[in-house]
Amino acid sequence: MPIENAPFFTMIKSILVLGAGSAGLLAAISIKVKIPGMQVRVVRSPDLGVIGVGEGTTPLFPDHLFHYLGINPGAFYAQASPTWKLGIRFKQWGPRESFNYSFASQCDIKYSDVARENGYYFDDDFRDANLPAALMARDKAFHRNPVGGGPDLKMSHGFHIENRQFVAVLEVVAREAGVDFTDALVSGAERGPQGIAAVLLADGRRLEADFFIDASGFRSELLGRALEEPFINYDRALFCDRAVVGGWARTTEPILPYTAAETMDAGWAWQIEHEHLVNRGYVFSSGSISDDEATAEFQRKNPKVPASLRVVKFRSGRYRRLWVDNVLAVGNAGGFVEPLEATALMVVCGQCRDFIESLRQCEWSPSPSLIRLYNEMEGERWDEIRDFLSIHYKFNTRLDTPFWKHCREDTDIGNADRIVEFYRENGPAGFIRYLIPSRHKSFDLEGYLVMLVGNRVPYERRHEPTPEERQIWEKRRAMFAAQAEKGMDVGEALACIRHPNWKWHAGRSPAVTGH
Ligand SMILES: Cc1cc2nc3c(=O)[nH]c(=O)nc-3n(C[C@H](O)[C@H](O)[C@H](O)COP(=O)(O)OP(=O)(O)OC[C@H]3O[C@@H](n4cnc5c(N)ncnc54)[C@H](O)[C@@H]3O)c2cc1C
């Protein structure tokens, strides 16, 4: 129904988005593309700029861009230069040298020719459990499409994408979609009967709107500062609160098709693969080591990072409610967890979809019960991520530093405790799925099983594979390995999609870019 004809008086006709980082721009574009009659204005301070860190993503992200929003993939690839991510490689994490968490199921499958689910067979050997994992093991990104020999981009993947370049592309897309921009510093907010009546600009102007999206990053100008919504700290589950961020220009290093997460003395280090940049960072706990000690360890283990490095401070947690009165917070303004599973943009996309669906449900005039439901759903989404990340820490037995002992002894794993209890008694059985708590299932059973089996968390009722089953697994592994050997690496796949003969399947909406 067009907004003008909606039957309620207090309907939302205009939305002001505070912030033009990836969260604010994704929100503005999502609203404008899905509700074209809505007036959408982005206000941002070029002086404050964007966070400029990251980013790795999950598969929901390309799905959101190309299918939900209909952005033209050819134009997007040309302008934003993403590379592909098939999953995460956990290095020196727990007792194994490494194991891969691919976006396609490895553990949570049961083949008909063996007695139990896959996870029961991976105690010794966690290699080549499926094609994506076999590709990751060989630093290959895609198998070759039987027709034409190009990369098969249908395989489940996320992106590695540079934050500033991504934000620049999103701004172009937003303007083409009809979003207005105002460059100004917001210095305060004027309260009104609906919550916020207007934002006040440092140059004396005042901007009104029916609804406000707070995407102001860690400053959380509207939800946190103006409305003073309480913050729920995740510090009983996640002890890290800082990151040393650095990287180096790529020379001869291959572009890897995964994010690496590697155990460090007081946290872990990421490696994200951009085409021309190897992006590294060390997430650590300031309660365990100082900035200088973290920087020194990071530099010792990564001789190529520059001498001067940036330290980013953060607190893990979320605001109690993300939608209060006529303000909704997205991105770092609403909540944050460290990028151990690279979930931030996934949450932004999920939150935008739920918000747009909520507006449709209430025909642009939200009721208190709808806002309550939204807050329950989004709070659950964050808490589920917290619980999933907590098991990464609790069961990593690699190092005996004070930080890791503290993690094993004191990490509160929240609602994941029932999953772990069931696993300890029964092993990696598919039945555990019924214990996954929320509506979102952001990681599904597969994520939990990869971390538990990957870390060799002990369980009773083991299944001893028969000689026949061992043979079946050997053959299966050999088959995936052989397919992966013939795959192509990221460099080759980039060359293919840049070839003039490459054909993109267009997105659904022609509106968002002229290319
Ligand atoms: C160390 C680290 C690593 C990360 N890695 C990943 C990753 O791998 N994957 C991932 O998905 N995410 C990652 N993130 C999260 C990432 O920061 C967010 O996904 C994403 O960039 C969203 O940022 P944002 O838009 O919320 O905030 P920002 O980029 O900070 O944008 C805030 C915007 O608000 C504006 N603003 C703020 N206050 C005002 C004001 N008063 N007046 C006017 N304008 C204002 C700013 O100018 C800016 O435009 C990481 C974060 C950190 C800290």
Side-chain angles (χ1 to χ4, degrees):
M1 175 183 307
I3 297 168
E4 313 74 74
N5 301 335
F8 298 104
F9 178 67
T10 53
M11 69 188 74
I12 299 169
K13 291 183 187 163
S14 61
I15 296 182
L16 185 149
V17 179
L18 171 52
S22 42
L25 292 174
L26 279 168
I29 295 165
S30 301
I31 294 165
K32 196 67 195 168
V33 166
K34 293 296 173 182
I35 315 175
M38 188 69 74
Q39 273 178 43
V40 182
R41 171 172 300 281
V42 170
V43 181
R44 50 98 192 267
S45 158
D47 293 339
L48 291 176
V50 298
I51 190 164
V53 187
E55 302 183 88
T57 77
T58 66
L60 182 70
F61 177 73
D63 177 73
H64 191 82
L65 297 181
F66 304 141
H67 298 127
Y68 185 77
L69 296 179
I71 290 177
N72 179 310
F76 185 82
Y77 272 91
Q79 292 160 20
S81 309
T83 66
W84 299 280
K85 168 181 171 183
L86 302 189
I88 302 172
R89 172 168 299 177
F90 288 94
K91 290 169 75 174
Q92 280 104 49
W93 203 285
R96 301 180 199 259
E97 265 316 285
S98 71
F99 58 92
N100 292 324
Y101 174 16
S102 77
F103 291 131
S105 285
Q106 298 173 89
C107 293
D108 183 25
I109 302 181
K110 181 182 167 319
Y111 289 109
S112 57
D113 52 5
V114 290
R116 302 306 308 263
E117 289 90 341
N118 283 6
Y120 287 93
Y121 301 92
F122 295 166
D123 218 22
D124 299 329
D125 192 345
F126 204 147
R127 289 169 309 133
D128 301 338
N130 62 13
L131 180 58
L135 287 164
M136 285 169 75
R138 288 157 188 80
D139 297 345
K140 300 278 177 77
F142 295 104
H143 64 288
R144 285 164 210 278
N145 216 324
V147 184
D152 185 0
L153 300 186
K154 284 199 292 300
M155 202 167 70
S156 188
H157 62 265
F159 283 152
H160 292 138
I161 193 160
E162 284 191 70
N163 181 251
R164 289 179 207 284
Q165 197 175 353
F166 177 49
V167 165
V169 173
L170 285 182
E171 182 172 339
V172 173
V173 174
R175 286 184 189 276
E176 287 182 8
V179 173
D180 298 316
F181 281 76
T182 301
D183 284 349
L185 179 71
V186 170
S187 55
E190 183 184 306
R191 300 293 295 267
Q194 304 286 321
I196 301 283
V199 291
L200 307 173
L201 308 187
D203 60 16
R205 280 180 294 166
R206 178 179 173 279
L207 293 179
E208 287 182 3
D210 298 328
F211 197 89
F212 296 83
I213 305 252
D214 185 351
S216 60
F218 290 138
R219 297 165 71 95
S220 195
E221 296 278 6
L222 302 180
L223 187 71
R225 287 194 192 180
L227 297 181
E228 298 180 334
E229 181 64 8
F231 188 80
I232 298 174
N233 211 308
Y234 285 168
D235 55 3
R236 290 194 308 135
L238 302 171
F239 304 144
C240 291
D241 56 0
R242 289 183 190 197
V244 197
V245 181
W248 60 88
R250 188 181 295 285
T251 51
T252 53
E253 301 94 339
I255 309 172
L256 303 174
Y258 51 79
T259 301
E262 184 178 356
T263 303
M264 300 281 277
D265 288 353
W268 63 279
W270 76 73
Q271 179 161 324
I272 290 179
E273 305 284 333
H274 304 304
E275 187 176 2
H276 301 295
L277 178 78
V278 179
N279 170 340
R280 290 223 82 180
Y282 176 9
V283 174
F284 66 96
S285 160
S286 64
S288 297
I289 51 171
S290 67
D291 290 3
D292 287 347
E293 287 167 321
T295 305
E297 183 194 350
F298 185 51
Q299 285 170 327
R300 193 174 67 248
K301 293 179 177 169
N302 298 279
K304 287 190 177 175
V305 299
S308 144
L309 293 167
R310 172 180 169 203
V311 175
V312 181
K313 295 183 186 170
F314 58 82
R315 62 176 176 172
S316 291
R318 64 168 170 95
Y319 285 91
R320 188 180 59 185
R321 294 170 299 172
L322 294 171
W323 183 344
V324 178
D325 300 332
N326 65 345
V327 172
L328 170 73
V330 296
N332 297 345
F336 180 81
V337 294
E338 61 197 73
L340 187 48
E341 287 284 343
T343 41
L345 291 177
M346 175 183 90
V347 174
V348 171
C349 297
Q351 251 196 282
C352 290
R353 291 182 187 204
D354 288 346
F355 175 63
I356 288 160
E357 188 52 32
S358 301
L359 287 188
R360 283 199 177 124
Q361 292 281 328
C362 68
E363 296 182 315
W364 337 116
S365 177
S367 60
S369 54
L370 183 128
I371 298 174
R372 256 197 320 275
L373 177 61
Y374 183 92
N375 280 324
E376 261 173 45
M377 285 162 51
E378 303 309 321
E380 241 177 40
R381 190 197 295 275
W382 275 110
D383 296 349
E384 183 187 285
I385 294 171
R386 173 203 61 200
D387 292 347
F388 183 53
L389 297 193
S390 75
I391 68 167
H392 292 55
Y393 283 102
K394 182 90 179 171
F395 300 109
N396 183 349
T397 50
R398 187 77 188 183
L399 295 181
D400 277 328
T401 57
F403 171 80
W404 283 104
K405 282 186 187 159
H406 175 41
C407 290
R408 291 194 286 272
E409 283 161 20
D410 302 323
T411 300
D412 176 356
I413 62 171
N415 290 323
D417 60 351
R418 289 187 67 203
I419 296 170
V420 172
E421 182 194 16
F422 192 96
Y423 170 90
R424 283 193 186 280
E425 288 182 4
N426 303 284
F431 223 67
I432 311 180
R433 85 183 68 260
Y434 300 115
L435 290 171
I436 306 251
S438 93
R439 307 160 238 243
H440 304 288
K441 299 196 180 358
S442 302
F443 298 98
D444 247 325
L445 176 57
E446 176 66 17
Y448 289 90
L449 291 184
V450 167
M451 292 318 295
L452 295 169
V453 173
N455 279 307
R456 290 208 180 102
V457 176
Y459 60 89
E460 294 164 29
R461 304 194 186 196
R462 310 194 62 76
H463 172 69
E464 186 53 41
T466 62
E468 292 75 28
E469 285 182 317
R470 285 184 197 283
Q471 228 180 14
I472 288 168
W473 266 105
E474 260 168 46
K475 269 199 201 152
R476 187 165 286 135
R477 285 198 168 95
M479 177 189 75
F480 289 135
Q483 285 175 8
E485 289 291 349
K486 291 190 233 139
M488 62 175 68
D489 63 22
V490 174
E492 199 183 343
L494 284 174
C496 281
I497 65 160
R498 289 169 183 169
H499 192 278
N501 290 346
W502 176 260
K503 295 262 183 303
W504 289 103
H505 297 285
R508 281 181 205 151
S509 159
V512 281
T513 134
H515 295 262

